[in-house]
Amino acid sequence: MAGGKMRKEKPSRAAGSNKQYQGGISFHKSKGQHILKNPLLVDTIVQKSGIKSTDIILEIGPGTGNLTKKLLEAGKSVIAVELDPRMVLELTRRFQGTPFSNQLKVIQGDVLKVDLPYFDICVANIPYQISSPLTFKLLAHRPVFRCAVIMFQREFAMRLVAQPGDNLYCRLSVNTQLLSRISHLLKVGKNNFRPPPKVDSSVVRIEPRKPLPPVNFKEWDGLIRLCFNRKNKTLGSVFRQKSVLSLLEKNYKTLQALKGSSEDMAGEMDVSALGDTSEDMSMEIDDGKDDEMEVEEDDEAGGDGSDFKAKIIGILKQGDFEEKRSSKLTQVDFLYLLSLFNKAGIHFS
């Protein structure tokens, strides 16, 4: 307007901070929607998946279908599970009238809640906030699939593959490696996504163990939770705590009273018992310091409490575990430790 200044409207920060567009569709970071935009990376993921022409492929969070197209070209069919109805519509439109239309089945819903059909292999770029529950849902799926190739937040991925002695070795590492073989395939920078997430990612390969180890998973997880609550303390220090001794003695007396229930427990093979790993991403990281300076709580002298404490420490000494730390123990070590406790009538669930 003559004689005046033209006002420029400022874009809304709220509208721009959480949405980016592709083909007219807005993506929401808050919902974990980060679409792979690098075609070379998509090709690499498909190639490393080892897909066979006869494979039924499960894809989780297909978005607009960039990865879906490559999966359809490589396998027999794709089952895509997508929560966002807009993405479902876009995916259907994209392949409608193409040779792939009969090879694609789209399930709209929350992957953590829907019943998953049979599949041979899972390939997915998932919302990172469902990483832990989804991993254990897949590992609990029957019949067992051949492998899963999944994009995770990098730190979560590195916890999955961490080995005894590594800084990130935690309960998540132990539980997932009990059920599967996990390998790191490649690191993926955040700029490969639209919109870019705040952190880098990694692609890992998960191969379920067949058969699963003959262990009561509730018992196993009870022991692992306890051990990794303070993973840098010696096991002797962990098991001398009053709260731990009280819990184990209560379990011991209950099972002694029931007579035989402990044997019945051995048949429990519920993998989902291991799935609550919400605390793993915030658990302590080994900084190399010895935390034995914590003051241990001693039981009062004499009485049944001291006898039970002696029983527990005796089991640890029997397996040479008293001075060892959870952060350095292997799967075999934990299985052996659990067997020693169970043989002595000590249970963790």
Side-chain angles (χ1 to χ4, degrees), residues 44 47 52 60 64 73 81 127 136 148 157 171 236 243 248 310 346:
T44 300
Q47 182 265 321
K52 301 176 183 177
I60 300 163
T64 57
E73 292 171 352
V81 182
F136 285 96
R171 177 172 155 250
S243 57
L248 295 182
I346 308 297

Side-chain angles (χ1 to χ4, degrees), residues 230-241 288-296 322-326:
R230 288 291 184 271
K231 71 175 183 180
N232 297 317
K233 291 174 72 73
T234 63
L235 290 178
S237 178
V238 170
F239 281 91
R240 282 185 174 91
Q241 295 177 88
K289 297 178 182 178
D290 190 338
D291 61 358
E292 291 301 300
M293 294 301 291
E294 285 190 30
V295 178
E296 295 172 6
E322 187 179 15
E323 298 302 319
K324 292 182 179 178
R325 303 166 195 271
S326 300

